[in-house]
Amino acid sequence: MLLPFGTDDSAAFFRVRNTGDKDDELIGVEAPTAGGRAMLSRTVVKNGAGSMGMVGSATVPARGTLEMSPHDLDVMVSAPPRGLRVGDRVPFVLRFRESGTVRAEAVVVRPGTGS
């Protein structure tokens, strides 16, 4: 998760691996400690300008991986917890159509550094 600047929204990124024989679908995300909401969003570039668009779900291919990044799919976190520091862990709940609920943590990093 990117370290937010002040009270700005932030984004979290997950690498989701599907070890099953059929596709699954990430259908929702919650950030229990965030005062606002967490939702799937996708960066869309049109005519050289980027914008964010909310998406309802994302496919996790059978025996494959869904990789989120700042340039494609991410989890937009509005009103992230205050006082976050690099290295903090923020809990999330990922909801899948087939696999149910999975609890995960995102580590807070400085934007642009990956650490």
Side-chain angles (χ1 to χ4, degrees):
M1 179 170 160
L2 300 177
L3 181 66
F5 180 74
T7 59
D8 287 351
D9 293 345
S10 187
F13 311 96
F14 295 92
R15 180 179 300 124
V16 181
R17 191 171 69 189
N18 179 353
T19 59
D21 290 329
K22 69 185 227 181
D23 291 353
D24 203 345
E25 200 172 4
L26 178 59
I27 57 173
V29 181
E30 297 173 21
T33 60
R37 300 183 318 169
M39 62 200 102
L40 289 172
S41 67
R42 186 175 302 277
T43 300
V44 178
V45 177
K46 187 174 182 179
N47 298 326
S51 65
M52 300 299 289
M54 298 307 122
V55 294
S57 65
T59 299
V60 186
R63 301 227 178 262
T65 303
L66 169 68
E67 285 225 32
M68 297 182 187
S69 78
H71 309 290
D72 188 25
L73 184 72
D74 64 43
V75 175
M76 176 63 77
V77 181
S78 62
R82 293 183 183 262
L84 288 175
R85 295 183 305 198
V86 170
D88 286 350
R89 295 181 173 272
V90 179
F92 285 83
V93 177
L94 309 178
R95 298 196 185 284
F96 296 90
R97 186 169 310 286
E98 301 297 327
S99 302
T101 299
V102 175
R103 297 188 184 285
E105 290 183 326
V107 177
V108 176
V109 299
R110 289 186 205 294
T113 64
S115 61

